[in-house]
Amino acid sequence: MTSLLTTAVATRLVHLSSVDIVIVVFYFALVLSIGWYLRGRANTGEDFFMAGREMTAWVAGLSFLSANLGALELMGWAGSAYQYGILATHWYWIGAIPAMLFLALVMMPFYYISKTHSVPGYLKLRFGEPARAMSALSFAFMTVLMSGVNMFAMAKVMQIVLGWDINFSIWVSSLTVAIYVTLGGLRSAIFNEVLQFFLIWAGALLIPILGLYEAGGWTNLKLQIAQRTSEQYVHLWSGLGSFTTNPMGIHWTGIVFGLGAILSMGYWTTDFLVVQRILAAKDIRSAEMAPIIGAGFKMMVPFIVILPGLLGLAVLPERLLPESVAAVTGGHSYNDVLPLMLARYCGPGLLGLGVTALIAGFMSGMAGNVSAFTTVWTYDIYRPLINSKGSDHHYVNMGRWTTIIGVLISVGTAYLVMQFASIMDYVQALFSFFIAPLFGTVVLGMLWKRTTGPGGFWGLLCGTISSIGMWTWVRLDPSALRYVALSPHAKGLAQDMYQALWSFLVCVTVTVVVSLATKPMPDGQLTGLVYGLTKVPSVGDVPLYQKPLFWAAVVTVIFFVLNIIFW
Amino acid sequence: MISIWFFIGISLAVNGALILAAGIYQLVNPPADPGVVLYHLHANVWWGAALLVFGLIYCFKFAPKRKA
């Protein structure tokens, strides 16, 4: 194992010592032990697919956050902070916090009391089989492809950072995930995600602490960044009045309405990868508290992701480059900033912990994809469309086999991406097509009882097609971005924001028009699924400090204060 | 069932002990080229110690109970 781990290539960024390798190996041993220990607690469908619906608010909340806190996310956003400055924080604050609170207080009661196993399962209850089939098939297909894309990207990172062989990284990590998810189901995935959460903080927290010490504090850091780049790199909102006065080439309307109101709402409230963790909560209060706990910690994540990127701007002697330029010149790219900062401050032992945090982030992200894929395949595709008469034991076995097959498809996708790199761009774009329209469909279904089955189906379909249409238009004619993003000065990230906004509006418009033109659904059929026809269960007679609404208010106040401080 | 927090305690305690041991070894045998910035702060000593203490607290607090 040790000789394999230390197989080197000349360009590696960091060198692991013996104690670092022991820490990495210990992590693998621990996650496999957890899977082995939980193997006897995944014998029924509720246990295997829903973790017995007995997770506390803290476990569900940290797992909910961890499922999104993958290694590529950490490295990618640290690189974005180096490239765009503190503007990258928007993806953690306005691009997450309002959506998480909306999920907790508005949507979670319906997901929870409907006892659905999945988001497509809710669509079946609300709109019927066609909407579920479309959502489930697209989700299953894209989730397993995304897992493969992330697997390849992470193996590539491990090759660049540590000099590990790509095949070794792909097979060791994927087999480990396959073993512990097959053995312990969702409970095993959730346990490992919570473990990963602690490892990420333990491994990454030292970088901003030591970095701020080296830079001489926040005020000095801002001065150094302003000298090396521009003052706009340390302001969240003041440069967003125009597309040309900020490094990201985006307008505040794109951030507020595209990212905050649509894209993040779509991701955090309807992407089953994250919502599945909350559905495993033990009661309604835990289900509402979990996203609020996640939101509280999400607000702190920029400290270990964005701040290292900003520190890199100030303290690294070399200038990092765009990926395409770095590949030609042999320099380091923006995305290398986190490993570079890790190598800058972390000696023996600490380096191993930092690398373990990256590996843990990758593996739990993959486990999240695989467990969500397994549930959707078994309950929303296999059971309704292929075999509806199987026993609970049969579906658990199907879940175990699907886990293995899902991992193998992901491995196959990883090798496909290795041969045809452009596939990565297409797969990532494909995933974004479904998010915004799905949010429109689900939220209308929950809040407006007049929404009908055909309305939900056609709205979802037209919203998705419009998203694909806009993406293809800009792909074929890059100058079309001026129409999609409303400005000739808009840059790439602005396209995602406005594309989400327009596809959401198309979805909502079509849903409303078709619903009004079709026969209303009887009220009795909508009980437990729609506001106004459902008695939302109380969280119980608990003190103020245990009420979700109280903590949501606390998080909201902190959210506004942080945005004002870094305005 | 063993609590998830117990597993986290084990992870932090073992990692903390390993990092602390590596830090103490470097204190006793200072390397000619430390290879990191701010080496004089000996981050692996105090960070390893902090993780070890935190992990041990979790291990004891959430240790599996023996059945009577």
Side-chain angles (χ1 to χ4, degrees):
Chain A
M1 182 90 175
T2 304
S3 61
L4 276 172
L5 286 177
T6 50
T7 300
V9 296
T11 55
R12 67 166 75 168
L13 291 183
V14 299
H15 294 260
L16 297 184
S17 65
S18 303
V19 70
D20 297 320
I21 292 168
V22 170
I23 287 173
V24 174
V25 172
F26 172 69
Y27 168 72
F28 277 92
L30 187 62
V31 296
L32 288 172
S33 303
I34 292 174
W36 180 255
Y37 171 71
L38 294 173
R39 73 192 185 286
R41 298 175 188 278
N43 296 322
T44 67
E46 279 293 286
D47 280 339
F48 188 85
F49 297 107
M50 304 307 296
R53 295 193 199 255
E54 59 183 28
M55 295 297 119
T56 64
W58 278 93
V59 173
L62 296 184
S63 165
F64 169 72
L65 184 56
S66 277
N68 165 263
L69 203 60
L72 294 175
E73 157 105 3
L74 297 176
M75 294 177 59
W77 282 110
S80 294
Y82 186 96
Q83 188 177 1
Y84 301 117
I86 203 171
L87 285 177
T89 309
H90 284 306
W91 271 255
Y92 288 87
W93 290 353
I94 195 170
I97 307 306
M100 288 171 151
L101 299 182
F102 187 77
L103 170 67
L105 301 178
V106 179
M107 297 177 75
M108 207 58 234
F110 294 96
Y111 280 139
Y112 197 81
I113 60 178
S114 68
K115 288 291 172 196
T116 180
H117 289 94
S118 64
V119 174
Y122 177 82
L123 292 180
K124 158 71 172 64
L125 296 171
R126 182 65 181 85
F127 298 118
E129 202 59 74
R132 169 174 48 193
M134 184 165 68
S135 168
L137 286 168
S138 60
F139 178 82
F141 179 65
M142 295 313 308
T143 299
V144 82
L145 288 187
M146 276 299 286
S147 177
V149 166
N150 287 338
M151 186 188 292
F152 168 73
M154 192 61 206
K156 192 77 186 166
V157 166
M158 286 298 152
Q159 184 189 44
I160 293 168
V161 175
L162 299 169
W164 291 359
D165 178 67
I166 283 190
N167 297 300
F168 171 79
S169 296
I170 286 177
W171 282 104
V172 168
S173 57
S174 59
L175 286 177
T176 306
V177 168
I179 290 170
Y180 78 71
V181 177
T182 303
L183 287 172
L186 180 62
R187 186 182 276 112
S188 186
I190 286 177
F191 270 41
N192 280 301
E193 281 160 6
V194 178
L195 175 64
Q196 171 228 337
F197 176 85
F198 279 81
L199 285 172
I200 283 181
W201 279 92
L205 191 57
L206 259 186
I207 296 174
I209 293 172
L210 295 175
L212 280 176
Y213 181 90
E214 186 187 4
W218 174 246
T219 305
N220 279 336
L221 173 64
K222 284 197 295 184
L223 287 173
Q224 290 170 51
I225 291 174
Q227 282 167 2
R228 295 185 78 170
T229 55
S230 102
E231 203 182 312
Q232 282 308 323
Y233 273 68
V234 289
H235 287 285
L236 266 181
W237 292 101
S238 66
L240 294 184
S242 159
F243 284 89
T244 56
T245 53
N246 64 82
M248 211 172 251
I250 198 164
H251 191 258
W252 69 269
T253 51
I255 292 287
V256 173
F257 299 115
L259 176 64
I262 307 299
L263 209 52
S264 74
M265 288 283 177
Y267 176 76
W268 288 103
T269 66
T270 62
D271 189 330
F272 184 55
L273 169 64
V274 288
V275 173
Q276 185 179 27
R277 275 78 195 133
I278 310 294
L279 292 177
K282 64 178 181 175
D283 53 35
I284 185 73
R285 193 186 76 82
S286 300
E288 290 187 23
M289 277 302 296
I292 296 169
I293 291 170
F297 283 102
K298 184 76 175 175
M299 279 194 294
M300 294 193 275
V301 174
F303 193 68
I304 57 169
V305 176
I306 305 300
L307 191 49
L310 296 176
L311 286 161
L313 273 172
V315 302
L316 287 178
E318 64 175 311
R319 296 295 294 169
L320 304 186
L321 307 164
E323 198 79 55
S324 54
V325 179
V328 175
T329 61
H332 291 126
S333 77
Y334 300 138
N335 292 333
D336 294 336
V337 67
L338 196 59
L340 284 171
M341 296 298 281
L342 194 68
R344 183 175 181 82
Y345 297 123
C346 295
L350 290 174
L351 195 55
L353 188 61
V355 169
T356 301
L358 292 179
I359 295 172
F362 161 65
M363 283 181 26
S364 69
M366 184 181 171
N369 277 314
V370 168
S371 55
F373 165 75
T374 298
T375 305
V376 168
W377 166 264
T378 306
Y379 280 132
D380 295 307
I381 298 173
Y382 178 75
R383 189 166 70 175
L385 302 178
I386 300 171
N387 178 4
S388 60
K389 294 178 181 167
S391 64
D392 187 58
H393 180 68
H394 172 78
Y395 292 124
V396 172
N397 278 338
M398 173 54 64
R400 291 191 204 280
W401 281 109
T402 307
T403 301
I404 295 168
I405 291 167
V407 168
L408 290 176
I409 297 174
S410 298
V411 171
T413 307
Y415 280 103
L416 201 63
V417 175
M418 204 185 299
Q419 300 300 318
F420 307 100
S422 59
I423 291 175
M424 191 182 291
D425 296 335
Y426 290 107
V427 171
Q428 285 169 339
L430 275 172
F431 198 75
S432 70
F433 296 153
F434 303 100
I435 290 289
L438 182 59
F439 172 62
T441 304
V442 173
V443 82
L444 269 180
M446 280 183 180
L447 301 181
W448 191 43
K449 71 173 186 177
R450 186 64 182 79
T451 315
T452 63
F457 174 78
W458 287 107
L460 186 58
L461 185 64
C462 292
T464 305
I465 289 172
S466 72
S467 192
I468 295 170
M470 280 181 277
W471 182 83
T472 310
W473 186 23
V474 176
R475 192 86 184 174
L476 295 174
D477 175 15
S479 67
L481 182 59
R482 68 175 59 202
Y483 303 111
V484 173
L486 303 177
S487 168
H489 304 294
K491 293 182 184 172
L493 276 171
Q495 181 188 350
D496 298 339
M497 308 300 105
Y498 286 97
Q499 192 174 292
L501 184 58
W502 305 139
S503 61
F504 171 83
L505 290 175
V506 168
C507 169
V508 168
T509 306
V510 172
T511 303
V512 169
V513 170
V514 175
S515 293
L516 291 175
T518 47
K519 190 181 166 190
M521 296 170 78
D523 286 359
Q525 213 175 315
L526 300 175
T527 305
L529 301 171
V530 185
Y531 256 103
L533 297 173
T534 304
K535 187 178 182 308
V536 177
S538 158
V539 295
D541 188 19
V542 292
L544 180 67
Y545 66 88
Q546 289 186 4
K547 288 185 187 294
L549 197 58
F550 170 74
W551 287 108
V554 171
V555 169
T556 304
V557 170
I558 298 172
F559 167 74
F560 277 105
V561 169
L562 285 172
N563 276 280
I564 291 167
I565 289 174
F566 295 99
W567 188 270
Chain B
M1 190 168 81
I2 299 175
S3 165
I4 172 63
W5 308 115
F6 179 70
F7 288 112
I8 286 162
I10 289 178
S11 173
L12 295 180
V14 171
N15 285 322
L18 289 167
I19 292 166
L20 176 62
I24 291 173
Y25 180 82
Q26 279 197 324
L27 266 181
V28 177
N29 305 290
D33 174 21
V36 293
V37 176
L38 303 178
Y39 168 76
H40 63 281
L41 295 179
H42 298 290
N44 41 12
V45 173
W46 50 265
W47 194 249
L51 293 182
L52 177 61
V53 170
F54 195 68
L56 287 176
I57 291 171
Y58 264 58
C59 282
F60 285 116
K61 186 170 169 53
F62 297 101
K65 304 264 188 310
R66 288 175 188 276
K67 286 184 181 170

